[in-house]
Amino acid sequence: MNSIGQPIRRGVGGFADGIKYFFQGLGWVARNPGQWLFGLIPALIALVLYVVTLVLLGTYAGDLAAWATPFADGWSAGTQNALRVLLGLVIFALGLVLSVITFTAATLVIGEPFYEKLSERVEEDMGGVYKGADVPLWRSIARSVRDSLITLAYVLMFTIPLFALGFVPVVGQTVVPVLGAAVSGFFLTVELTTIAMERRGLARKQRFALLRADKSPALGFGVVVFVIFLIPFGAVVAMPAAVAGATIMVRGRLTPHHTTTP
């Protein structure tokens, strides 16, 4: 049993189960193309914002590198340029990593009403929507922003050290990518399951407790989503399927006692 009284199914198969939930979500949006198109709208808005931000970061990465290295002003031109070009590339690479990590949270905040409706449609097809207490939209969005910022703080606690370790020979090319995918995947699952869990009245700490207690499917689901999100435009195209799959996982595995309409 986990910390809030739900049964936990542990085992090696749990990771594969998480992958299965994503493909169940993909199957659902394939059967409901109108919902897929509906779910693309906030993802496209977020994509435009992120592309503009990354273009600006790429344009001014050199200036940021120069600002961060005033101690190199007296160096020879070749050494100074080499340092600042390398630092500019590191700044832009870190921006890319953070964009992958934060895209889901930003899209969910932008598309709160869209994905709430999509998630409800999934549950309707599975036998009924769990109806919790009605929360005003502004309060729901404010809570989502707050929870996403807290989650981002946790992500950065892991991501920044892993990013630095990525420059270590051998370890940076073998162990670090695996750990990075696992960390990013877990927190993607945290974000994507938020809508269905909040509908059941589960606060952030309770949601974390459920996912920590059943890590294998959370990792399986999140890692496959993370890998797809690395593909150009993958995050946009797959976002509705990821929300649908997360809803199926919440309903079928994480909160099975809350699957019927009260």
Side-chain angles (χ1 to χ4, degrees):
M1 302 288 285
N2 61 34
S3 60
I4 61 174
Q6 302 292 355
I8 294 300
R9 307 172 196 173
R10 292 187 175 89
V12 177
F15 188 89
D17 288 342
I19 298 174
K20 177 189 69 177
Y21 288 123
F22 171 77
F23 283 100
Q24 288 178 347
L26 186 62
W28 187 88
V29 296
R31 295 189 301 273
N32 297 271
Q35 292 298 309
W36 176 69
L37 291 172
F38 181 70
L40 285 183
I41 296 172
L44 287 170
I45 294 171
L47 176 66
V48 171
L49 294 175
Y50 271 75
V51 167
V52 170
T53 301
L54 287 172
V55 168
L56 289 174
L57 180 61
T59 301
Y60 294 104
D63 294 335
L64 289 171
W67 172 81
T69 56
F71 55 84
D73 288 344
W75 295 6
S76 66
T79 305
Q80 181 189 99
N81 288 337
L83 171 67
R84 288 176 175 171
V85 167
L86 177 61
L87 183 57
L89 290 173
V90 170
I91 290 171
F92 187 73
L94 184 58
L96 283 174
V97 171
L98 290 176
S99 70
V100 172
I101 293 170
T102 61
F103 182 85
T104 299
T107 304
L108 289 174
V109 170
I110 293 169
E112 175 86 17
F114 293 82
Y115 294 125
E116 180 68 39
K117 291 295 183 185
L118 189 151
S119 179
E120 286 181 359
R121 282 292 308 277
V122 172
E123 295 216 54
E124 285 173 359
D125 286 354
M126 295 181 70
V129 181
Y130 182 88
K131 290 291 186 181
D134 289 333
V135 178
L137 179 60
W138 68 268
R139 183 174 294 175
S140 177
I141 293 175
R143 183 173 59 193
S144 295
V145 171
R146 181 200 64 199
D147 288 351
S148 293
L149 290 174
I150 293 172
T151 301
L152 177 61
Y154 281 113
V155 172
L156 292 176
M157 286 173 56
F158 293 97
T159 302
I160 292 177
L162 286 173
F163 184 80
L165 287 173
F167 295 96
V168 177
V170 182
V171 173
Q173 291 74 51
T174 54
V175 177
V176 170
V178 174
L179 291 177
V183 170
S184 299
F186 179 81
F187 284 106
L188 279 174
T189 302
V190 170
E191 293 287 354
L192 289 164
T193 55
T194 294
I195 292 173
M197 287 195 183
E198 282 190 340
R199 188 181 301 125
R200 289 157 171 78
L202 298 174
R204 179 180 54 82
K205 290 183 178 180
Q206 293 173 303
R207 300 196 302 268
F208 265 92
L210 279 169
L211 292 168
R212 284 198 306 267
D214 205 10
K215 291 187 186 72
S216 291
L219 285 171
F221 181 83
V223 167
V224 71
V225 171
F226 175 73
V227 171
I228 291 171
F229 280 16
L230 290 176
I231 301 170
F233 303 107
V236 176
V237 175
M239 190 67 183
V243 172
T247 301
I248 294 169
M249 181 165 66
V250 169
R251 183 185 180 93
R253 179 165 184 139
L254 297 176
T255 59
H257 291 173
H258 287 160
T259 58
T260 58
T261 305

